[in-house]
Amino acid sequence: MPENILRVENISKRFAGHTALNNVSLTFPKGKIFGILGPNGAGKTTLIRIINQIIAPDEGKLYFQDQLLSPSHISSIGYLPEERGLYKKMKVGEQVLYLARLKGLSLSDAKQKSRQWFARFEMEHWWNKKIEELSKGMQQKVQFIATVLHEPELLIFDEPFSGFDPVNAEQIKQEILRLKADGATIIFSTHRMESVEELCDQIALIHQSRKVLDGSVRAIKKEYRTGEYECRIAGDLSTIRTALDKDATILNIHKEQDETIMTIRADDGISSNKILYALIQHAEVHYFSEKTPSMHDIFIQQVTQEKHE
Amino acid sequence: MNKIWLVIQREYLTRVRKRSFIIMTILGPILIALVYGALIFIAVSEEEKEHVVMVVDTSPVKLSEGLKDFNRRRPNSKLRFEWKYDDYFQARDSIFNETYSSILFIPRDPVAHPKGMYLAFKDRPSMSIKNALETELEKLIEEQKLLHYNLSPDIFDSVRVKIDLFEKRIRESQHGLQEEADYAEQKFFVAFGAGMMIYIFILLYGIQVLRGVMEEKSNRIVEVMVSSVKPFQLMMGKIIGIAMVGLTQFLIWVIFSGIVVSIIGMAFAPSLLEQVEAGTLQTQAEIGGLDVSTMLNIFNVTDFSIMIGLFIFYFIGGYLLYSSLFAAVGSAIDNESDSQQFMMPVTLPLIFSIAIAQFVLKSPDGMIAKICSFIPLTSPIVMMVRIPFGVAIWEIILSAFLLVLGFVFTTWVAGRIYRIGMLMYGKKITYRELWKWLFYKG
């Protein structure tokens, strides 16, 4: 079994007057959730359309499970685009069956599977309703079902949670995690990095048509760790200051009633345990946490760095 | 291929099951039948009223004798003559007290001065009454003139000649020269009818294609669709599906209107016949005299089947050519208001071809007719108009070949524009841009 489900090699795409993708290479590991992050207009949707064979790259190659990507792979991919809609006048059931059959499912398979999904979302009674009779949230659920019904190995969601209310978003999130547990590979594409950060195993940052960073979330965060900690303590301030002095710098300090809130940065080579030990000796520790940079912060840092280079 | 079939199915079924389709399909022929029926009904019921003419005859030649003879000859006619007064003013004075509708005044010498005759009425005589009256008077005065010159009516009848030149076409064949009858006037109807049908079908259902494409775009369903099917498949599926909807509707209409019209025809036939006999409906009967049996006589059987075959070919070819262009327009625009700018260049050649069809009818072998029957944008209509008048085989083959080439080309162009246009939102498109889209990869 190949470890990677999809490999993108040196993809470039130009439209009249601008370059949408510039020599982008990515590897998508099987069974993981992969986030393609970047601001609007960075080239994410172009990349996803190329993966879905909606448009062809000017240069570069794509491999699906080590085979050159071809129309025969369409049935192995499920795609929920950012610009998503349904035929308003069509009945919900018919619509889902139609989309599933276009992905290569037989009518009876499509019927059976859609019944299961409708039962799971408790929406059996929608079957004969017209799409235009449904609320926006309901329509989104229908779209979600249509995307996953043919049980594709690779699922691609472009801005998946935009337009969902928090309750539905949570439900969809759980379903996506369940699909991952069942072995599917998932690609998210979003400009709202915080919305998928916690779900992703691996990410790639796209900025101005180029890939600026990629790797596992854990590795990236480790690489970008700042050695800053936030702590809330109660105790004598001056003794704490002297205790910390040789190991760390206090960046920020203020008092809230009888509690002191501090942001400190450990000196190079000083472990969190050592700092915690120093604190415990002189004060009561209520809260101690490493300040990890958010993807957003990392992105900003990376982009500004590039500018200076 | 399987996918394109699914698309065709959806396009067909969703339209055919729509309430508006069912209503239009049923209502269409009923409306046609109602209009047709109403016309017949009006024709029949309006003529019911009897028109009595008070004749005031001051001439010595006594045209009245002839009119009395009319009363005897045509007892069923709605036109009746009466005599009571010798003076026009007496007749005029009592017109509102008596039943007669009008006064026919015959002057002293109607033969020399027929314009001295006039008809004064309180109820306007219908056109057919007036026609019948005039015909009768003309006949009587003619008789008087013949008497004057001492000619017998028999001689006069034999002198009168009506020329309706019989036309025949000379053809070269393996068996030497062959001649065949040519019914130009009747062919005129067939030719124009065929051209008109193609025009209406293309316009009606081409715009449906445009609408359908725009709907998919504005519903934002299209990106989901093109991740499963090729844009070209989606476009062709829609075009073919809508064509089948159109054909279904046409077929139902033809069958329905046939049934309804014949039922109405049968119901009204006796009273119609009566009127034709009575001479008041003569003119209408002559106009409607082009019945199916003479129609079939115009063309021999092989010619007729070839014509039907060519009709279907140009019908489908023309539709494919234009509807793919309509699809391209629909994909390139965001909203209805922009559609005008891009619709114009597509509908213009269509309107142009139906406009020049009349010139083509006048000279089916003329220069304009020939050129336009080769250009794929105009050939579906123009060639169809020419065919009933006889067109050389090589011309048909060339025109058909160019049409096939034409729609392969337009569907290719439309497909290129479509796949880019469908995913393009919130941007005003220029022709320059459309041109660039043709050369994008993928």
Side-chain angles (χ1 to χ4, degrees), chain B residues 172-212:
Chain B
E172 278 183 313
S173 78
Q174 294 147 325
H175 317 292
L177 295 181
Q178 283 193 332
E179 295 178 358
E180 57 184 56
D182 193 83
Y183 298 86
E185 280 162 43
Q186 288 88 333
K187 284 185 176 178
F188 189 96
F189 279 101
V190 176
F192 197 71
M196 202 65 192
M197 259 175 82
I198 291 178
Y199 172 75
I200 290 173
F201 189 88
I202 290 175
L203 209 59
L204 222 59
Y205 294 96
I207 285 180
Q208 286 243 9
V209 172
L210 176 103
R211 285 251 177 79

Side-chain angles (χ1 to χ4, degrees), chain B residues 107-283:
Chain B
R108 282 198 59 78
D109 192 0
V111 181
H113 309 287
K115 287 202 169 147
M117 292 191 285
Y118 53 82
L119 187 77
F121 60 82
K122 67 175 180 199
D123 305 318
R124 176 186 291 281
S126 72
M127 280 305 271
S128 55
I129 292 278
K130 190 170 175 251
N131 283 341
L133 177 57
E134 282 171 351
T135 316
E136 196 57 31
L137 288 172
E138 277 166 14
K139 206 181 83 193
L140 293 174
I141 290 177
E142 270 170 16
E143 277 170 11
Q144 291 299 322
K145 287 201 169 184
L146 290 173
L147 276 176
H148 180 79
Y149 294 115
N150 246 337
L151 289 170
S152 86
D154 292 344
I155 295 176
F156 179 68
D157 280 347
S158 72
V159 166
R160 262 167 84 174
V161 191
K162 191 166 182 293
I163 305 284
D164 194 355
L165 213 53
F166 180 72
E167 291 167 282
K168 49 187 183 181
R169 180 178 285 272
I170 305 165
R171 274 185 203 277
E172 278 183 313
S173 78
Q174 294 147 325
H175 317 292
L177 295 181
Q178 283 193 332
E179 295 178 358
E180 57 184 56
D182 193 83
Y183 298 86
E185 280 162 43
Q186 288 88 333
K187 284 185 176 178
F188 189 96
F189 279 101
V190 176
F192 197 71
M196 202 65 192
M197 259 175 82
I198 291 178
Y199 172 75
I200 290 173
F201 189 88
I202 290 175
L203 209 59
L204 222 59
Y205 294 96
I207 285 180
Q208 286 243 9
V209 172
L210 176 103
R211 285 251 177 79
V213 171
M214 280 180 70
E215 187 202 352
E216 263 169 5
K217 197 181 170 183
S218 62
N219 274 356
R220 304 290 200 263
I221 177 80
V222 67
E223 193 161 352
V224 177
M225 292 299 298
V226 293
S227 69
S228 306
V229 296
K230 289 202 187 82
F232 189 75
Q233 290 176 321
L234 184 60
M235 185 183 86
M236 284 316 285
K238 183 176 285 294
I239 287 173
I240 296 169
I242 290 176
M244 282 162 70
V245 173
L247 289 174
T248 308
Q249 193 159 39
F250 262 46
L251 205 69
I252 295 173
W253 277 355
V254 166
I255 294 168
F256 248 52
S257 5
I259 293 170
V260 176
V261 165
S262 57
I263 289 171
I264 291 182
M266 268 190 281
F268 282 95
S271 60
L272 269 180
L273 274 177
E274 210 170 273
Q275 289 197 26
V276 173
E277 232 166 69
T280 49
L281 252 179
Q282 257 167 352
T283 41

Side-chain angles (χ1 to χ4, degrees), chain A residues 13 16 49 54 56-58 74 79 81 83-88 90 94-95 98-99 101-103, chain B residues 3 6-7 9-10 14 17 216 219-221 223-229 423 425 436 440-442:
Chain A
K13 179 77 185 174
R49 284 180 179 168
I54 293 169
D58 294 335
I74 282 176
Y79 174 39
E83 295 285 5
R84 46 191 176 239
L86 296 161
Y87 290 107
K88 289 200 164 52
M90 241 174 140
E94 278 176 2
Q95 175 105 51
Y98 177 56
L99 292 172
R101 289 175 76 196
L102 283 178
K103 283 286 189 189
Chain B
K3 286 181 180 177
L6 280 170
V7 177
Q9 260 185 336
R10 193 204 84 87
T14 50
R17 283 188 310 204
E216 263 169 5
N219 274 356
R220 304 290 200 263
I221 177 80
E223 193 161 352
V224 177
M225 292 299 298
V226 293
S227 69
S228 306
V229 296
L423 299 172
Y425 291 108
K436 280 187 192 157
Y440 279 170
K441 205 181 158 194

Side-chain angles (χ1 to χ4, degrees), chain A residues 82 160 176 198 213 220 248 251 258:
Chain A
E82 182 182 4
I176 290 173
E198 48 179 309
L213 181 71
I220 289 174
L251 299 173
D258 55 347

